[in-house]
Amino acid sequence: MFEQMKGAIFDLDGVIVDTAKYHYLAWRSLAEELGFEFTEEDNERLKGVSRMESLNILLEIGRIDASDEERERMAASKNERYVEFISRLHESELLPGVRAYLTDLRSRGVKIALGSASKNAEFILSKLNIRGLFDAVVDGNQVVNAKPDPEVFLIACRKLGLEPAECVVFEDAAAGVQAAIAAGMGVVGIGRADLLPGADKVVSGVDELIA
Ligand code: BG6
Ligand code: MG
């Protein structure tokens, strides 16, 4: 898989940076305001899931009914809280090995793209000071169908000027692994093998990939 790799497509949240804790704090504060408790275990269900779908799950947990308009308002309010946290993000929060691995791939001529569901991806990359390492960025603003649909990875691959079989995806969410498989790409799971069925290889973090 790695021998033929001409393009590497990285998920953002959970692969490059641990933003899950900030998503959690923002959702928890919204839940508190709505009068129910939202646990870290509940938060696991939101990993890799789009903002609106995350809100739908949150409201289901709190057994709260809301109109589409109210949902839009709640999602926007959660995002305001989230952006406040990530505006303090610092380069030191890059997950171990990320800068070294991306730099190494580039030096070997491998093209690099981001394939994320987040609409805050560009902001996060600039905060982490790694935007320059990416040849293409595809995020939640450019995609209609969320993972496990392969759309985000297919657009990224096209932007790199490559074929799906030449790309390898790096993903921490089960839905993302499924999206990569549906796209016809190799996939490296980041996390626990039992939670990432179908991945060609699973490592605990990007640092394990450095030769
Ligand atoms: C994914 C995260 O990368 O992006 C999800 O894993 C998140 O937890 C989703 O809900 C959308 O992010 P944002 O920044 O657009 O709210
Ligand atoms: Mg992720």
Side-chain angles (χ1 to χ4, degrees):
M1 175 178 56
F2 290 113
E3 295 74 54
Q4 295 105 302
M5 174 167 72
K6 290 189 182 165
I9 307 177
F10 290 86
D11 173 50
L12 175 66
D13 298 309
V15 172
I16 286 176
V17 58
D18 177 21
T19 42
K21 55 182 181 240
Y22 302 127
H23 279 295
Y24 172 61
L25 292 172
W27 285 125
R28 191 182 66 181
S29 117
L30 177 69
E32 264 167 20
E33 212 172 275
L34 295 169
F36 67 94
E37 198 196 341
F38 180 67
T39 67
E40 274 188 78
E41 199 186 327
D42 293 329
N43 193 56
E44 285 302 308
R45 291 176 61 190
L46 309 188
K47 287 190 180 169
V49 176
S50 73
R51 190 182 306 167
M52 208 30 110
E53 185 52 25
S54 297
L55 175 69
N56 292 340
I57 295 171
L58 184 98
L59 294 179
E60 188 192 299
I61 291 168
R63 295 168 202 276
I64 288 182
D65 216 16
S67 67
D68 287 353
E69 216 175 39
E70 283 164 336
R71 281 172 203 256
E72 288 293 343
R73 262 205 309 276
M74 288 174 191
S77 148
K78 180 269 174 178
N79 193 54
E80 270 171 36
R81 296 164 215 234
Y82 178 62
V83 168
E84 209 176 304
F85 289 117
I86 59 172
S87 62
R88 293 191 290 265
L89 257 186
H90 182 259
E91 218 174 313
S92 59
E93 289 180 72
L94 265 176
L95 285 170
V98 169
R99 185 182 292 280
Y101 189 54
L102 267 62
T103 307
D104 175 56
L105 289 176
R106 289 184 72 82
S107 74
R108 289 193 275 126
V110 177
K111 293 244 160 65
I112 297 178
L114 190 87
S116 168
S118 174
K119 294 186 172 168
N120 295 298
E122 287 279 7
F123 182 57
I124 292 172
L125 292 181
S126 73
K127 280 280 157 194
L128 295 173
N129 206 11
I130 52 165
R131 178 61 181 85
L133 291 174
F134 290 85
D135 299 292
V137 170
V138 184
D139 63 19
N141 299 298
Q142 298 154 62
V143 169
V144 178
N145 303 297
K147 302 170 190 176
D149 190 282
E151 186 182 9
V152 62
F153 296 139
L154 291 172
I155 297 176
C157 163
R158 199 168 60 228
K159 281 195 170 185
L160 294 180
L162 298 171
E163 293 298 324
E166 298 173 321
C167 294
V168 175
V169 169
F170 298 81
E171 249 295 347
D172 73 312
V177 169
Q178 293 313 312
I181 294 170
M185 300 174 184
V187 52
V188 176
I190 311 281
R192 274 172 46 189
D194 56 326
L195 301 179
L196 301 170
D200 297 299
K201 176 187 171 86
V202 177
V203 293
S204 62
V206 169
D207 49 347
E208 245 184 75
L209 296 163
I210 299 169

